[in-house]
Amino acid sequence: MKVFIVHAHHEPRSFNSALTRIAQDVLTEAGHTVQVSDLYAMKFDPVSDRRNFTSVKNPDYLKQQVEEQYAHETGTFAADITAELEKLEWCDVLIFQFPLWWFSMPAILKGWVDRVFAMGAVYGGGRWYDNGHFQGKRAMVSVTTGGGPSIYSPTGLHGDIHQVLYPINHGILHFVGFDVLPPFIAYGVSRADDTDRSNYLKEYQQRLLNLDTTPPIAYASLTDYDPETWQYRKRRDRTD
Ligand code: FAD
């Protein structure tokens, strides 16, 4: 398998960096090929603007999706976007490695998504969800949190972690067609003791070795929705 890890942590000695290093080692040892985009080390520019393009269709009014489509057709994405798109096309499995920041991903990773998941290149023209550009590929979030598992349970103060991650898992990864694996979550790593952290690293190794057999999250299929209203149809209302 070809695995592409997008790593979003600024500290090489962090637990997130330990998780990415372990992933590289374990997967390589198991015969897989790994590429890592270490966004801070690359000084990846997360700001999405005119600089995404080497030329534009309309210099008077920047409409990002129009320009993305144009750049896709004319090969005029900026070099850093083109390089990341090539890694996406190359991989069988995409992993996002990041600490949970404000119930979401760090801005550098969100900016990577904003710039690289470009219309024309990875979605558009009816390519979404089950029909998405990356159908047949898998993706997984590997996230660390400050809060413990209890506070992220369905009845916990912060709410269910799966609801917290839904915008990333469903709104980004599944939107562009990936089969999304259940997230790997290392809870409360800053306050955890060495044994807990060591157990998380072991657990992650097992998850990595089962990337190709782990059942993805069972999202409803496109045919479960009325194509006029995109409302979920009850089974008895379906014609399929
Ligand atoms: P680190 O603090 O770098 O590491 C934790 C510990 O692991 C350290 O003691 C380190 O030495 C040790 N370690 C490193 N490598 C290894 C190894 N190989 N083996 C064993 N131990 C090792 N949390 C929430 O829950 N929800 C939020 O919404 C949220 N928002 C935040 C917003 C911001 C802007 C920030 C800065 C933090 C936020 N947090 C939040 C907390 C954040 O999620 C955690 O601080 C983060 O997940 C911890 O991961 P880390 O990699 O930075 O850990």
Side-chain angles (χ1 to χ4, degrees):
M1 275 187 315
K2 291 174 277 189
V3 183
F4 176 28
I5 303 174
V6 186
H7 174 81
H9 202 292
H10 39 50
E11 172 52 59
R13 285 167 301 170
S14 66
F15 197 68
N16 273 264
S17 299
L19 289 165
T20 291
R21 272 195 302 276
I22 267 223
Q24 282 179 283
D25 292 349
V26 165
L27 291 168
T28 307
E29 206 169 294
H32 305 299
T33 318
V34 182
Q35 288 199 68
V36 179
S37 282
D38 183 344
L39 299 184
Y40 287 96
M42 293 158 65
K43 300 197 188 315
F44 185 83
D45 180 358
V47 177
S48 192
D49 63 14
R50 167 74 177 77
R51 293 168 298 167
N52 292 0
F53 315 105
T54 57
S55 74
V56 287
K57 191 175 185 182
N58 182 354
D60 297 326
Y61 191 136
L62 187 78
K63 287 195 180 174
Q64 182 165 330
Q65 288 173 309
V66 171
E67 295 301 343
E68 286 173 347
Q69 185 69 46
Y70 178 71
H72 172 61
E73 287 160 10
T74 56
T76 50
F77 281 114
D80 60 348
I81 294 179
T82 303
E84 297 307 298
L85 284 169
E86 283 171 2
K87 292 177 216 171
L88 280 171
E89 295 298 340
W90 166 85
C91 76
D92 303 308
V93 182
L94 170 68
I95 296 176
F96 282 172
Q97 178 64 57
F98 61 93
L100 193 69
W101 279 9
W102 294 113
F103 285 43
S104 185
M105 48 172 68
I108 199 167
L109 179 54
K110 178 56 164 49
W112 182 92
V113 174
D114 289 346
R115 296 186 66 221
V116 177
F117 276 29
M119 184 174 235
V122 311
Y123 72 96
R127 290 172 304 152
W128 65 349
Y129 299 115
D130 316 2
N131 297 330
H133 183 76
F134 293 117
Q135 61 190 287
K137 296 179 189 259
R138 305 183 140 219
M140 183 175 79
V141 158
S142 172
V143 64
T144 64
T145 69
S150 170
I151 205 166
Y152 283 110
S153 71
T155 50
L157 177 63
H158 288 345
D160 185 345
I161 192 68
H162 299 291
Q163 293 293 334
V164 173
L165 296 176
Y166 183 84
I168 300 169
N169 279 335
H170 190 268
I172 295 172
L173 296 170
H174 189 49
F175 183 92
V176 296
F178 286 104
D179 286 332
V180 183
L181 305 187
F184 174 76
I185 306 165
Y187 290 101
V189 290
S190 302
R191 271 168 293 167
D193 61 25
D194 282 345
T195 309
D196 289 338
R197 282 198 291 261
S198 156
N199 286 340
Y200 276 134
L201 292 172
K202 284 184 199 141
E203 194 189 321
Y204 190 43
Q205 293 183 44
Q206 285 312 307
R207 286 296 311 272
L208 292 162
L209 291 172
N210 293 307
L211 283 177
D212 49 349
T213 53
T214 303
I217 299 171
Y219 293 121
S221 112
L222 273 178
T223 56
D224 292 330
Y225 294 86
D226 180 321
E228 296 297 318
T229 61
W230 295 115
Q231 288 292 300
Y232 189 75
R233 295 190 285 183
K234 294 190 179 68
R235 189 152 289 279
R236 66 173 180 276
D237 298 334
R238 290 192 211 143
T239 52
D240 52 282

